[in-house]
Amino acid sequence: MIECNRVNVHMQQMIKTLALILGLTALSLPAFAAQTDWVKSEGGAIRLVITNDGKSPARGFLEIKLNEGWKTYWREPGDGGIPPSLTGDGMAVDLQFPAPERISENGSTFSGYHEAVSLPFVLPETLVPVDKLTAFIGICSDICVPFQAEFPLVRDPNDAAIIDQAFAQLPRLAAINEGITSQKRVGETLNLEVSEPNGTLFLAPEKGVYLGVPQANATGFTVKLLKEKLPGVKVNYTLKTLNGAVSGIFVMPK
């Protein structure tokens, strides 16, 4: 009977010890939130927010905060610069972009942002099994700093509202007869007519085409064709006006 009591006491001690170990282990695990911690660099900070709100596939955004005097780039920077990217296991996530600003400094002109910006995305199904994503951006002041950070791929349905807000900041998809309404190529010049002149046009062609900065005229814009390797290349555009911004795609005319 005494031996049995000793065994019971020993078992109780083991259970208490195991519970303590499990408790300490739980405390030592990283506390992943769907809004990841900010990763800081010299000129700002970035984080990821992703939701699993029942909408398939999952949605999220890459959020960029900038220190005063710093800037970052649009999908097509222009004169140099690093376009933001997000990848998982070597596969790219298609980032979407609010309407940028045209910034001219030190003899260069580029498209980007002076203030905090969120870049929404829809997570491809192929990346669902991936447990981390890598963000890479460029931020500039007097110097330009490549900025890379790795984030755990976590989701929280409670973040759906702020993700909706990020998507709401994107340009509207141009309707018929809205945005760029015609394209014509004359030699090395591209003539683009738009539904609403006196705006600012941003162009982001696929690989193989390099375009100059659009110059406004009475009916739209003229664009210098700097280099072309492939015919029929698609060009993403954002037209920013006093009435808001619209986006669309056109095919380079022959």
Side-chain angles (χ1 to χ4, degrees):
M1 188 68 167
I2 296 173
E3 184 65 28
C4 186
N5 287 338
R6 287 177 178 172
V7 171
N8 288 337
V9 170
H10 181 63
M11 287 295 295
Q12 290 174 1
Q13 289 175 338
M14 288 182 62
I15 291 170
K16 289 180 180 179
T17 302
L18 180 59
L20 179 60
I21 291 172
L22 291 174
L24 291 174
T25 301
L27 288 174
S28 66
L29 291 174
F32 290 153
Q35 299 182 26
T36 65
D37 291 336
W38 289 98
V39 178
K40 297 180 180 180
S41 180
E42 182 179 356
I46 55 178
R47 70 168 180 171
L48 279 186
V49 180
I50 304 177
T51 183
N52 59 345
D53 57 358
K55 298 179 181 179
S56 183
R59 303 171 306 137
F61 60 82
L62 172 64
E63 187 172 7
I64 304 172
K65 288 198 306 188
L66 297 168
N67 295 340
E68 187 174 354
W70 289 76
K71 48 202 168 286
T72 193
Y73 299 100
W74 188 56
R75 63 191 307 165
E76 174 52 59
D79 292 345
I82 301 171
S85 66
L86 187 65
T87 57
D89 197 24
M91 295 177 284
V93 176
D94 185 20
L95 293 172
Q96 301 182 52
F97 294 79
E101 309 167 61
R102 179 145 294 133
I103 303 170
S104 296
E105 292 182 352
N106 302 320
S108 296
T109 300
F110 59 90
S111 303
Y113 309 93
H114 269 121
E115 299 178 349
V117 63
S118 294
L119 309 179
F121 59 84
V122 176
L123 192 68
E125 294 287 356
T126 51
L127 285 178
V128 170
V130 175
D131 61 359
K132 59 187 176 183
L133 294 176
T134 300
F136 185 60
I137 69 171
I139 52 177
C140 290
S141 179
D142 296 330
I143 59 171
C144 288
V145 181
F147 184 6
Q148 180 170 301
E150 195 172 83
F151 299 98
L153 182 50
V154 291
R155 307 166 181 84
D156 188 338
N158 295 321
D159 287 330
I162 59 173
I163 290 173
D164 288 341
Q165 291 174 9
F167 274 90
Q169 300 304 311
L170 296 175
R172 288 186 301 103
L173 186 62
I176 297 174
N177 297 323
E178 186 180 27
I180 293 178
T181 56
S182 71
Q183 314 92 41
K184 184 179 180 181
R185 179 172 172 176
V186 180
E188 299 304 307
T189 299
L190 186 62
N191 295 319
L192 302 173
E193 291 190 2
V194 298
S195 58
E196 191 172 347
N198 303 318
T200 307
L201 181 65
F202 303 89
L203 301 175
E206 295 177 339
K207 291 182 178 179
V209 171
Y210 297 89
L211 302 173
V213 176
Q215 303 297 318
N217 58 36
T219 59
F221 297 86
T222 57
V223 185
K224 185 70 175 176
L225 179 60
L226 302 180
K227 187 176 181 182
E228 182 179 19
K229 293 182 179 179
L230 301 171
V233 170
K234 293 180 180 179
V235 180
N236 291 276
Y237 74 85
T238 293
L239 177 62
K240 187 177 178 181
T241 71
L242 293 177
N243 294 319
V246 297
S247 65
I249 298 175
F250 68 88
V251 176
M252 281 290 296
K254 295 181 180 180

